[in-house]
Amino acid sequence: MIRLLISLYLVVFVSIVLINQSSELIWNSWVHQAPDELRHAQLVAKVLQESVSDIHQLPPQVTTLSSDDVAWLPEQIAALQQGDVITTFTEQGDALLTFQIKGEESLAQLGPFLPASNALAQKYLFKLLSFAVLGLLLVFWLRPLWLDLMQFKRVTAQLAQGQLDISIQPSKFSAISNLTSQFHAMATKVANLMSDQKQLVNAVSHELRTPLARLKFALAMLAAKDPKEVQAMSQDVQEMELLIDEMLGYARLEIAAESLEYHAFDFSALVHGQIEKLQRTNTKELNVTLCPNVTIYADQHYIARVVQNLLQNACKYGHSKVHVTLLVSHGEIELQVEDDGAGIKPEDRDKVFSPFVRVDHSRNKALGGFGLGLAIVQKILNWHNGRCEVSTSALGGARFVMYLPISERVKLLEVTP
C-alpha cells in the first residue's frame, strides 16, 4: 500500500508541475502574445510619443486636444504627466489612446480602435484541456492497476464456479504487482485444495465402501455363531456406513455448487409435498399453515433438501407437536418450523449450523444423525442468498425460520401476462 500511495503521489505531483509549466508557456506564446489591433496600436502610440517633440510633427490622422477638453480623473492626469499612454473607451466600446506630447500641454489621441478581444473563453478552454491532460496521465497510470483488479475479479469468479485452471499475468508497471503475485499464489493453493478435496471424496467413495461391504458379508456369515456380538458389530458397521454417506453428501455440496439449476417453481406445492412424505412415517401432530402460490427462483432439488431437513429435525426432536407455517413478509419468503421439544439454548444457537455439532443432550446420537443436517441447510441457503435463524417456539421447543429473498425474475413473471 505504501508503494501504491507513493506512486500515486509522484504521478500527480509531477503531472501538475509539468502541466502548469507547459500551460503557462503556451498561454504566454499563444494567447497573451497573440496579434491584437489595440495592443499593436499601444506600441505605435508609445513609439510616436518618444519620436515627436512638437505638435506639428504629428501625422494628420492623430487628433490633438487640450488637457482641459476632457474631465480626466486625477490618476489619469498623473499617468499622462509621467508619460504613460492611457486607454479610454467610447460609449460604443471603442478604445482611444491618449498621451502627452513632450514639452507641451497638448495631448495626442489615436483611435478609435476595436477593444482587446476577451480571452475568457480561451482561458477556460485552456484550463479544460489542462485537466484533460492530467486525467489522461492518470488513466495511463491506472490502466495496469485496473487490469490487475480485473484479473482478481476473473479468478475469484472462476474459483466460485469451481474452475480450477487459473492463471494470472501481473503487469510489471502496476503499483500492486507484488499483491497480484501473492494473490496468484493464494488462488493456486486454493485451487489445489479444492482439487484435492474432490479427489479425496472420490477416493473415500470408492475405497471405503469396499471393506465395509466385506465386513457386512463376514458378519452375515458369523451371525449363527454369536448372534448378539454379531448384531452389535453390524450396528457399528451400519453406523460407520451412514456416517460416510453423510460426510460424502456434505463434501459433495461444494462440488454441487458448480452445477445448480435455477428455475421458477411453486414453493408452496414443494413444502406440501414434503409434508405429505413425512406424514407417511411420522406419528406426531402436524399443524400446517401454507400461503398458496408462493413462487421462487431457485434450485428445486436442493431447496427440497432444506425443507426436508428442517421437517425431519422438528419431528425427530419434538415430543408430540410440530407446526409449519409458510408466509411472505417484507419482501421475503418465510418458512417457520416449530416443535415442542427441549429447544436450544441461546448461547448454542449459532453452533447448531456447524458440521458435526450436537449441542444439547436431547439432540444426541441415540436419536440418529451426525450434526450435518443443519449445516447442509445453512450451506444451501447461502447459495440462494437466504438464511436460517433459530429461536424459542411458542410450543416450548425450537423454532427454525428459513428466509429466502423474492427474486427479481419472479417479480417479472408476476407482472408479465
Side-chain angles (χ1 to χ4, degrees), residues 147-203:
L147 292 176
D148 284 349
L149 293 177
M150 290 303 295
Q151 290 193 82
F152 286 176
K153 179 181 178 181
R154 176 178 57 82
V155 170
T156 52
Q158 287 179 342
L159 289 177
Q161 296 174 1
Q163 300 178 12
L164 306 183
D165 186 14
I166 60 174
S167 62
I168 295 181
Q169 297 179 351
S171 174
K172 298 180 180 179
F173 303 101
S174 174
I176 59 170
S177 57
N178 292 336
L179 178 61
T180 306
S181 300
Q182 294 175 2
F183 180 82
H184 182 218
M186 181 194 69
T188 303
K189 187 173 182 179
V190 170
N192 292 335
L193 290 174
M194 294 176 65
S195 178
D196 293 342
Q197 182 192 24
K198 288 184 178 181
Q199 295 176 5
L200 178 62
V201 169
N202 293 331

Side-chain angles (χ1 to χ4, degrees), residues 251-273:
R252 288 194 184 101
L253 287 179
E254 293 293 342
I255 305 174
E258 308 168 15
S259 57
L260 293 178
E261 297 180 359
Y262 288 84
H263 63 275
F265 61 91
D266 190 344
F267 184 55
S268 304
L270 184 145
V271 175
H272 182 71

Side-chain angles (χ1 to χ4, degrees), residues 363-376:
R363 299 171 179 264
N364 54 33
K365 189 175 176 181
L367 294 174
F370 300 93
L372 287 173
L374 294 177
I376 293 174

Side-chain angles (χ1 to χ4, degrees), residues 295 406-417:
T295 303
I406 298 178
S407 172
E408 294 296 330
R409 297 199 180 189
V410 172
K411 295 179 182 178
L412 183 61
L413 290 174
E414 292 176 350
V415 299
T416 303

Side-chain angles (χ1 to χ4, degrees), residues 364-384:
N364 54 33
K365 189 175 176 181
L367 294 174
F370 300 93
L372 287 173
L374 294 177
I376 293 174
V377 167
Q378 186 79 313
K379 186 175 289 293
I380 295 175
L381 289 179
N382 286 339
W383 295 344
H384 295 82

